[in-house]
């Protein structure tokens, strides 16, 4: 592994600037960024030393890791603007190397969850364990809540009205109208945080008065969460064979990559 | 466009010919709402019958609002309310003559079809149905709900029992099996609690007292015996130094195996004491340990002037451990018959 020096001061300050703008998702889209061609990338690489390219790759890796702490997706525009900067002419190469680093060093996979808006997340490349880990590492209770919500949505066919979710949560002693001991502002967490993390989608249903929304699985959930495992869990809870839910079973086991969105391959495809 | 007087008719922006007439009518009658009956003395032909038009529009609006307000009710598969609404709308439509009414009819249709789609999606599951209520109950059990059995609970709707503190954590741990979440990146130095690193402390303690019992016994006896034990230790250390030197003197060239030196084949506890006392020699720079060609530990006294006691030469620390099993193995391996260090005169055994 190459020596990873501390990021230069400009990069860390821009990181700080960027984390301050975390809420403002409408950062100016770098519309001028066009994908450089393979020959352009080649020429760009010739002008740089391997150390420089490695350094830039390392910075990209670090950027992703930090952004991933909050599970916020990374936009290509931000990446180019804040990290890649002058090296944008070799952007595909850098991303390719970063993906390789994630795979070989961290066991993570760089996944493009939104081909249109060019957004990326990191996903665990290792096999999910069959049972809960025997190591008592601190767990995030929000994941429990998320599992409950995603399960209901999946078992109900992929779309549910928000009231169903709120009512189910109330039965679980989590009232979106009140401040919860553990989760705080539940409504905000579910409709804002989980949505920004791309675990859920919260869309308005047209023609409803008063306004109602529906929930669907988000792009990150599609990439990270295994429907088959959820169905297994349902089977355990209800003491039934997962196959009794025929439609859900079919959906969970139809595609081999049913739990993964399009992956970023190491070839220099359009990124 | 909102009219200033009287109720209703807010949605249609266009005024057709009859509007001005109606306005005049409204000013005549006493501010009736849109839903009231045919106003007095303004009946024209059926097509422009203002009262009838108003009535139709009002009925449409009622239908629309009833669909919107009673959504849950209409969704229930146990009734046909939605069909009734549509039948009602069909009847109304026969009398529709003007664009405004038709617009309301279209609006009702949109609202009703949304509901219809909703109802259709309720028929989703072939196979076993999924009931969120039952799911919630099972989940609560999974999270470790303690169901109280008190009869004071009058309302069955309020929750029975309480969830343990770690309820959601239990679910989160189960979730780990279903999620391929990338573990969050943190610098390791941030994840330790602020306590001094244990190994270093352990080494220091071990250096002075490889056998814990000896360490523990020493301080308490120190207090009681007014340091006579301390002197005893010093004497013992001196004595052992004497053995080491004389043994070394006999043959300065041949290295002394550390194990042969400290082990007493007849007593494990004395072996441990020997190790303990020998460690003082090393600590004070009076003896040194090294590894010979076969990587076995050897010990030798330090020539005077070679190393200063407590000096700044590079020192290494190591931890020695020995168990009766290892002790026996060493005796066999090195074929130790006699102890080099003669046991002390029995004082406090």
């Amino acid at each position: 592994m190459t020596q990873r020096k501390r990021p230069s001061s400009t990069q860390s300050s821009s990181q700080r600037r960027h984390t301050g703008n975390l809420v403002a998702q409408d950062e100016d889209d770098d519309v001028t960024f066009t994908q450089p061609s393979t020959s352009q990338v080649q020429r760009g690489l010739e002008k740089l030393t391997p150390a420089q390219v490695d350094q830039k790759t390392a910075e990209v890796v670090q950027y992703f890791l930090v952004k991933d702490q909050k599970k916020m997706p990374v936009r290509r525009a931000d990446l180019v603007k804040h990290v890649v900067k002058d090296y944008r002419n070799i952007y595909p190469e850098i991303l390719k190397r970063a993906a390789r680093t994630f795979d070989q060093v961290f066991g993570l996979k760089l996944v493009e969850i939104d081909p249109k808006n060019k957004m990326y997340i990191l996903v665990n490349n290792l096999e999910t364990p069959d049972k809960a880990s025997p190591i008592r590492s601190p767990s995030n209770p929000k994941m429990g809540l998320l599992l409950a919500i995603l399960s209901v949505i999946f078992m109900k066919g992929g779309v549910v009205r928000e009231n169903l979710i709120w009512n189910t949560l109330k039965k679980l002693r989590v009232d979106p109208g009140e401040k919860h001991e553990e989760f705080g502002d539940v409504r905000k967490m579910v409709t804002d945080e989980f949505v920004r993390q791309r675990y859920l989608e919260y869309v308005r249903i047209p023609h409803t008065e008063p306004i109602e929304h529906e929930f669907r699985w988000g792009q990150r959930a599609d990439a990270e969460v295994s429907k088959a495992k959820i169905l297994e869990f349902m089977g355990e809870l209800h003491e039934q064979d997962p196959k009794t839910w025929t439609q859900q079973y079919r959906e969970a086991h139809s595609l081999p990559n049913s739990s993964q969105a399009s992956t970023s391959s190491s070839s220099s495809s359009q990124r | 466009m909102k009219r200033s007087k009287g109720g209703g008719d807010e949605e249609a922006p266009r005024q057709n010919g009859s509007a001005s007439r109606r306005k005049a009518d409204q000013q005549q009658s006493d501010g009736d709402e849109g839903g009231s009956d045919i106003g007095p003395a303004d009946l024209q032909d059926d097509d422009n019958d203002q009262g009838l038009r108003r009535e139709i529009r009002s009925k449409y609006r009622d239908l629309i609002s009833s669909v919107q307000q009673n959504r849950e009710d209409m969704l229930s598969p146990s009734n046909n309310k939605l069909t009734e609404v549509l039948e009602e709308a069909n009847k109304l439509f026969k009398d529709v003559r003007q664009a405004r009414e038709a617009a309301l009819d279209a609006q009702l249709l949109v609202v009703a079809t949304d509901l219809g789609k909703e109802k259709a999606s309720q028929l989703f599951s072939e196979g076993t149905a999924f009931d969120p209520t039952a799911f919630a109950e099972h989940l609560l059990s999974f999270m470790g709900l303690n169901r109280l059995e008190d009869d004071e609970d009058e309302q069955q709707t309020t929750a029975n029992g309480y969830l343990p503190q770690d309820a959601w954590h239990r679910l989160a741990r189960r979730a780990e099996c279903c999620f391929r979440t990338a573990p969050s990146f943190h610098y390791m130095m941030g994840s330790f609690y602020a306590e001094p690193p244990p190994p270093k402390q352990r080494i220091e303690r071990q250096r002075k007292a490889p056998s814990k019992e000896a360490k523990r016994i020493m301080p308490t006896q120190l207090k009681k015996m007014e340091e006579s034990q301390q002197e005893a230790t010093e004497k013992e250390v001196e004595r052992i130094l004497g053995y080491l030197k004389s043994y070394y003197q006999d043959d300065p060239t041949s290295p002394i195996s550390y194990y042969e030196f400290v082990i007493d084949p007849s007593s494990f506890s004395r072996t441990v004491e020997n190790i303990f006392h020998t460690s003082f020699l090393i600590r004070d720079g009076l003896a040194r340990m090294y590894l010979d060609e076969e990587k076995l530990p050897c010990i030798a006294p330090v020539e005077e002037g070679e190393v200063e006691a407590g000096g700044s030469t590079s020192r290494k620390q190591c931890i020695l451990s020995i168990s009766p099993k290892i002790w026996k193995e060493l005796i066999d391996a090195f074929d130790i018959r006699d102890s080099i260090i003669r046991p002390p005169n029995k004082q406090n055994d």
Side-chain angles (χ1 to χ4, degrees), chain A residues 62 69 71 124-125 128 131 139-140 144 161 173 206-207 224 226 229 234 236-237 244-247 250, chain B residues 114 118 124 126 128 130 135 138 145 159-161 168-169 171-172 174 177-182 185 187:
Chain A
Q62 195 158 11
Q69 283 177 342
K71 297 294 169 204
N124 202 334
N125 212 9
T128 37
K131 291 186 263 236
S139 52
N140 185 358
R161 298 187 90 92
R173 323 288 175 88
H207 310 126
E224 269 188 30
S226 158
K229 293 261 169 93
M234 292 297 121
E236 281 171 30
L237 281 185
T244 58
W245 291 284
T246 46
Q247 212 150 346
R250 210 183 305 138
Chain B
D114 269 347
E118 180 75 19
F124 167 66
E126 78 192 42
T128 322
F130 176 75
F135 168 65
H138 289 125
L145 177 79
N160 287 344
W168 286 103
H169 285 272
L171 190 58
R174 184 65 178 82
C177 306
C178 309
F179 283 57
R180 298 175 72 119
T181 320
F185 162 77
Y187 285 111

Side-chain angles (χ1 to χ4, degrees), chain B residues 125-223:
Chain B
S125 48
E126 78 192 42
T128 322
F130 176 75
D131 177 18
T133 311
F135 168 65
E137 284 296 309
H138 289 125
L139 213 54
L140 285 172
S141 302
F142 178 84
M143 295 200 282
L145 177 79
N146 293 307
R147 292 176 205 274
L148 303 170
E149 286 142 15
D150 53 354
D151 315 60
E152 303 164 30
D153 214 303
E154 295 153 6
Q155 300 167 290
Q156 283 306 309
T157 50
T158 56
N160 287 344
Y162 59 95
L163 279 174
Q165 277 279 16
D166 68 341
W168 286 103
H169 285 272
R170 280 193 216 192
L171 190 58
R173 297 258 304 279
R174 184 65 178 82
E176 282 167 24
C177 306
C178 309
F179 283 57
R180 298 175 72 119
T181 320
S184 284
F185 162 77
H186 292 289
Y187 285 111
M188 284 179 69
M189 62 193 181
S191 67
F192 288 164
Y193 292 118
E195 269 166 34
K200 219 167 167 201
Q201 278 187 346
R202 250 209 310 265
I203 288 176
E204 279 191 34
R205 253 188 287 137
Q206 286 281 42
R207 218 161 69 82
K208 287 176 191 156
S211 118
K212 271 195 175 170
E213 296 104 82
K215 170 82 176 162
R216 257 188 273 136
I217 291 171
M218 283 291 293
T220 49
Q221 288 190 340
L222 261 170
K223 284 178 199 146

Side-chain angles (χ1 to χ4, degrees), chain B residues 291-320:
Chain B
L291 297 176
D292 68 5
E293 299 100 23
E294 283 149 30
K295 302 286 184 204
L296 294 170
C298 299
I299 186 167
V302 163
E303 310 299 313
E304 305 212 344
E306 200 180 312
V307 167
E308 293 166 6
S312 57
T313 47
S314 67
R315 295 217 173 185
K316 295 200 172 67
Q317 302 170 7
C318 75
I319 305 168
L320 218 59

